[in-house]
Amino acid sequence: MATATATKTFEYSVRDRAGKVVKGRIEANNQAAVANRLKTMGMAPIAITEVASTGLQRELSIPGLTDRIGLKDLAIMARQMATMINSGLSLLRALSILADQTENKALAKILQQVRNDVETGLALSNAMAKHPNVFPPLMVNMIKAGEIGGFLDQVLLSIASNFEAEVKLRGKVKSAMTYPVVVFVIAILAVTGMLLFIVPVFAGMFSSLGGELPMPTRILMMLSTAMKFTAPITAIALIVFAVWWGKHKNDEGVRRRVDPFKLKVPVFGSLFQKIAISRFTRNFGTMIHAGVPILQALDIVAATSGNYVVERAVRAVQESVRTGQSLSGPLTQHPVFPPMVVQMMAVGEDTGALDTMLHKISEFYDQEVEATTEQLTSLIEPIMIVVIGSIIGAMIIAMYMPIFGVFELIG
C-alpha cells in the first residue's frame, strides 16, 4: 500500500535519438527515477514536472470504463515498443518500461505478465497469444512473423499505423451515426412524454366540455391510452433485446441474416460496404507486408472484416489460393467488392506488389468513408428536423383542434 501511495505521475519532455522533441506521461517515485528511466530508453530529458493528482481525478478512474483496453492503447504501446527496440533496448527491458509507464492500468498488468512469460523463454507472440481478449490475432501473427524474419520493430510500427487508422475509421463512423441516433432517441422520448403526461391533461379537459372531438384528437387520445399499457412492456422488451443482442450479435446465424441487410439499408448501406472493404484491404495488406503466410493472413482478415458477406467472399478466396488459383478471381463472384477493387488486386498480384496495392485501396476507401459521413451528416440533419417537427407539430395541432371550436362544444 505504501508503494502505491509513493508513486506519482510526471509529465516529461525529451529529445529522442533523431533530435525530435517527444512529450508524454510516466509514473515513478520521484523525478530522478523518471530521468533514469528515460535515459535507459535512449532519450535526453528536457523537462520533468509532477502532475498534481486530486481526489476527484482518483474517483474518476472507474474500473471497467477507464481501464478498458482499446486499439488506441495498443497502438501507443506498439509504437513505443518499436522505438525502444530500434534504440537497442532488449525486449525484456522494453516490456519492463512499458509495464511501468503505460497509463492504462489493465494493459500495464497484462504487459507485466507478458514480460514474465518472455523472461521464462516464451516468444513474445506466444506470450501475447495467452491473452486473446487483449491482443487481437492480427497483432499476434504479425509479431510472430516479425520475430521469425528479424524485423520486429518494423512490424510493430505497421501494427501501430494499422490500429491508428482503424481508430480513425471508427471515429468517422461514430461521428456519422451519433447525431441521427441521439436525435431519434430524443424524439421518441418527447413523443412518449407527450402521450403519457400532456395528452391525458387535455383529455380530461375535453371530456368535461362534452361534444364530439375531431378525428385527429380521438386518434391521439387512443394512442395515449394505449401507451400507458404498452410503454412498460416496450421498455422491458428493449432491455431484454439489448441483453440478448450483446450476447449473440457475433453468432454466425445472427450475422448471416443481419450483415447482408446492413449492406442493403438505403442510406447507410454504401457506408457499411466501404468500411468493410477498407478494413479488409488494410488488414490484409499489413499482414502481407509483415510476411505473414497468405493463407494464414486470409483466415485472420476474414474473421476481422466485421461483415459476414465480406467474410464469406474472403473464405472463397482462401479456397482458391489453397488450390493454387488466382487470389482476385473469386471476388468477381461477390458483388460486395466493386470491379475497381478486384482489378487493382489483380494488378498487384501480377506485379508482385499486392501489399502496396491493398494499402492504396484502403486509403481510397478511408477517404470515401470520410466523404460519405460528411454527406450523411449534412443530409440527415434537415430530414430529422422536418420529420420530428412534423410529428410533434401534428400532435400539438390535434390537441388544440377542439379548443378552436370550444364554443361549439360548450353550446
Side-chain angles (χ1 to χ4, degrees), residues 315-333:
R315 297 295 183 194
V317 173
Q318 192 177 15
E319 290 301 318
S320 175
V321 173
R322 185 176 283 115
T323 56
Q325 299 179 25
S326 168
L327 176 70
S328 56
L331 295 181
T332 58
Q333 309 298 323

Side-chain angles (χ1 to χ4, degrees), residues 20-91:
K20 183 180 178 182
V21 176
V22 180
K23 296 182 179 181
R25 287 192 175 194
I26 193 172
E27 289 189 355
N29 294 332
N30 50 53
Q31 288 186 348
V34 175
N36 290 333
R37 193 177 302 169
L38 292 172
K39 288 177 182 177
T40 60
M41 295 168 59
M43 307 291 188
I46 300 174
I48 301 173
T49 56
E50 182 180 346
V51 179
S53 179
T54 65
L56 177 61
Q57 288 174 325
R58 286 193 293 268
E59 289 175 4
L60 289 176
S61 296
I62 304 172
L65 293 178
T66 54
D67 288 345
R68 190 175 66 87
I69 302 173
L71 284 180
K72 187 176 181 180
D73 298 310
L74 296 178
I76 294 172
M77 182 212 78
R79 194 169 290 281
Q80 290 177 338
M81 185 184 292
T83 301
M84 286 186 279
I85 292 175
N86 191 38
S87 300
L89 269 68
S90 67
L91 181 58

Side-chain angles (χ1 to χ4, degrees), residues 249-257 259-260 263 272-273 275-277 279-281 283 295 297-320 322 330-331 334-337:
K249 64 180 179 180
N250 293 322
D251 292 355
E252 184 177 348
V254 175
R255 294 178 62 228
R256 189 187 299 118
R257 292 172 175 82
D259 286 355
L263 297 177
F272 292 139
Q273 180 188 15
I275 292 170
I277 293 174
R279 182 176 290 129
F280 160 70
T281 52
N283 290 343
L295 286 174
L298 285 169
D299 188 52
I300 294 169
V301 297
T304 58
S305 63
N307 190 283
Y308 181 79
V309 178
V310 175
E311 180 179 345
R312 188 176 57 186
V314 175
R315 297 295 183 194
V317 173
Q318 192 177 15
E319 290 301 318
S320 175
R322 185 176 283 115
L331 295 181
H334 298 271
V336 69
F337 286 97

